[in-house]
Amino acid sequence: MDSPKLPVVDLSAEDLRPGTEIWISTSKQVCHALEEYGCFLIKSNQVSLDLHNAIYTAALQDLFNLPKEIKQLIKSSSEQPYRDVFSSSPNHEGLAMGDIVSTSEAIHQFCNLAWPGGNNHFCKNVNEISKIMMNLDQTVLRMVFQNYGVDKYYDSQIRSTDYVTGSSKYKESEKNENYVGLVIHTDKTFSTIIHQNDVNGLEIQTKDGQWILYEPSSHSSFLYLASDAFKAWSNGRIHPCCHRVTMSVNKTRISLGLFTFLNGVTHVPDELIDEEHPLRYKPFSHREYYRLIKEHGKKKIQYSIEALCGV
Ligand SMILES: O=C(O)CCC(=O)C(=O)O
Ligand SMILES: [Fe+2]
């Protein structure tokens, strides 16, 4: 059997504008990939090699090198619901900065908290790549909404979205022994976009249980992942992507992600309910889902979107 490959979607064409033929055919590819794999590799040309290097050799190094007390301050700063510092295993560290991209003050507010003495290059570079990821996320969302015939809800969905920038760091594997950096999971977000340094490790599970390693085709590639809230919103059409991180090389892996969360109450659009697709999810609060996931996680109990709002 041929080994499966991740779908690839090219979002780099300059003439990729709503209404054009290329837009319509790309929208179909996006929906097909999300229904069958829950993910796809985004080909883009927006990240220069300089930006890539500034992010992974300086900005995110500074972030993970922050003193413990500052990390504690970030964790406990309450004005951002999705700001956190956490560890999923002894070899992993995660840091979620909250929504630093939707408003221009937010990145400065985060930087002032993390570096009272200032850190301009962090601010500039992390803001730049977060914006690229936010724009890509909005393009993909617009394509899905148009392809499903529900574009009239697009603007209100964008208005209710929090775009959380976060990063993960995984220690190098010693003596070439594989280790699990993140156990298999689906994200609790609506969607996630991942960018990474030159160390692979993120693996995607196909519907029939095979694993595919995410291998970016350039320093400007991203991986788009659909998550639990997207599945519920789409009345089960979109497949939430199961993934994990396996570390196998003697180098540190750093990834940067954009994680989207919805505010308010999320409904399945009426247009996505019919005889073939009877309603599977009641209206739900994404924020409440996230809260319950964390609460159950502390007790090591699994919780699912179906438990929250499945019909
Ligand atoms: O580090 C990665 O590539 C993936 C991170 C991830 O799966 C997550 O933060 O949910
Ligand atoms: Fe994940």
Side-chain angles (χ1 to χ4, degrees):
M1 193 162 52
D2 278 349
S3 50
K5 289 199 169 51
L6 288 181
V8 177
V9 176
D10 188 349
L11 297 182
S12 69
E14 252 177 46
D15 53 351
L16 192 62
R17 275 186 296 275
T20 56
E21 244 172 66
I22 181 166
W23 174 275
I24 294 167
S25 64
T26 309
S27 303
K28 288 195 181 121
Q29 277 177 31
V30 162
C31 280
H32 183 257
L34 294 182
E35 289 170 1
E36 295 308 316
Y37 291 82
C39 71
F40 55 88
L41 184 151
I42 300 177
K43 253 174 104 173
S44 123
N45 50 14
Q46 296 178 72
V47 181
S48 66
L49 192 53
D50 282 352
L51 178 59
H52 182 282
N53 292 343
I55 295 280
Y56 295 103
T57 62
L60 297 176
Q61 302 288 343
D62 288 356
L63 186 71
F64 287 108
N65 287 338
L66 282 169
K68 271 206 185 88
E69 309 76 68
I70 298 278
K71 286 183 181 166
Q72 194 50 46
L73 208 61
I74 292 172
K75 194 175 164 72
S76 58
S77 73
S78 58
E79 71 276 16
Q80 285 273 358
Y82 303 108
R83 194 169 269 173
D84 203 3
V85 182
F86 57 97
S87 168
S88 306
S89 68
N91 297 314
H92 166 258
E93 186 178 359
L95 205 152
M97 291 166 247
D99 186 337
I100 54 166
V101 71
S102 291
T103 69
S104 52
E105 312 82 64
I107 181 81
H108 297 289
Q109 195 264 345
F110 176 79
C111 283
N112 290 341
L113 180 67
W115 296 278
N119 188 339
N120 281 342
H121 83 87
F122 182 96
C123 247
K124 178 178 161 292
N125 294 318
V126 171
N127 197 33
E128 188 176 340
I129 195 162
S130 298
K131 276 205 179 128
I132 292 172
M133 293 195 283
M134 182 172 78
N135 288 333
L136 289 170
D137 188 81
Q138 293 179 348
T139 299
V140 171
L141 194 78
R142 189 183 278 267
M143 287 183 165
V144 173
F145 274 46
Q146 288 192 347
N147 202 44
Y148 283 162
V150 297
D151 32 341
K152 65 178 183 201
Y153 307 118
Y154 172 78
D155 288 335
S156 74
Q157 170 122 347
I158 295 291
R159 278 196 300 276
S160 61
T161 301
D162 280 334
Y163 295 92
V164 175
T165 301
S167 183
S168 273
K169 180 177 170 180
Y170 309 85
K171 271 199 196 136
E172 67 278 9
S173 85
E174 283 165 20
K175 299 182 220 136
N176 286 340
E177 276 171 22
N178 286 8
Y179 81 81
V180 178
L182 270 189
V183 296
I184 176 170
H185 67 282
T186 59
D187 282 3
K188 309 311 159 200
T189 56
F190 190 88
S191 59
T192 298
I193 295 188
I194 296 287
H195 190 259
Q196 65 167 60
N197 69 351
D198 58 348
V199 182
N200 293 335
L202 176 56
E203 298 172 308
I204 304 305
Q205 193 178 42
T206 62
K207 281 186 182 172
D208 61 3
Q210 300 186 68
W211 287 98
I212 313 177
L213 179 67
Y214 168 52
E215 296 173 284
S217 54
S218 83
H219 56 266
S220 189
S221 302
F222 296 88
L223 188 71
Y224 182 97
L225 305 165
S227 315
D228 296 355
F230 208 166
K231 177 192 190 187
W233 170 87
S234 69
N235 204 16
R237 286 171 175 75
I238 300 281
H239 176 68
C241 181
C242 282
H243 54 285
R244 68 181 180 195
V245 174
T246 306
M247 288 294 297
S248 57
V249 291
N250 192 11
K251 277 177 153 180
T252 305
R253 175 163 198 276
I254 298 184
S255 65
L256 182 72
L258 188 78
F259 302 86
T260 70
F261 293 93
L262 302 175
N263 289 302
V265 177
T266 301
H267 306 256
V268 173
D270 288 344
E271 292 82 348
L272 300 186
I273 308 164
D274 55 32
E275 241 170 67
E276 211 186 312
H277 304 93
L279 182 69
R280 284 175 54 188
Y281 298 91
K282 292 178 276 199
F284 65 97
S285 155
H286 194 181
R287 208 178 266 204
E288 179 67 359
Y289 179 51
Y290 186 71
R291 193 187 67 75
L292 287 165
I293 284 284
K294 278 191 132 178
E295 200 173 284
H296 285 74
K298 278 185 205 146
K299 299 180 213 144
K300 307 233 180 301
I301 302 172
Q302 294 272 355
Y303 191 70
S304 67
I305 194 88
E306 283 73 24
L308 175 76
C309 61
V311 169

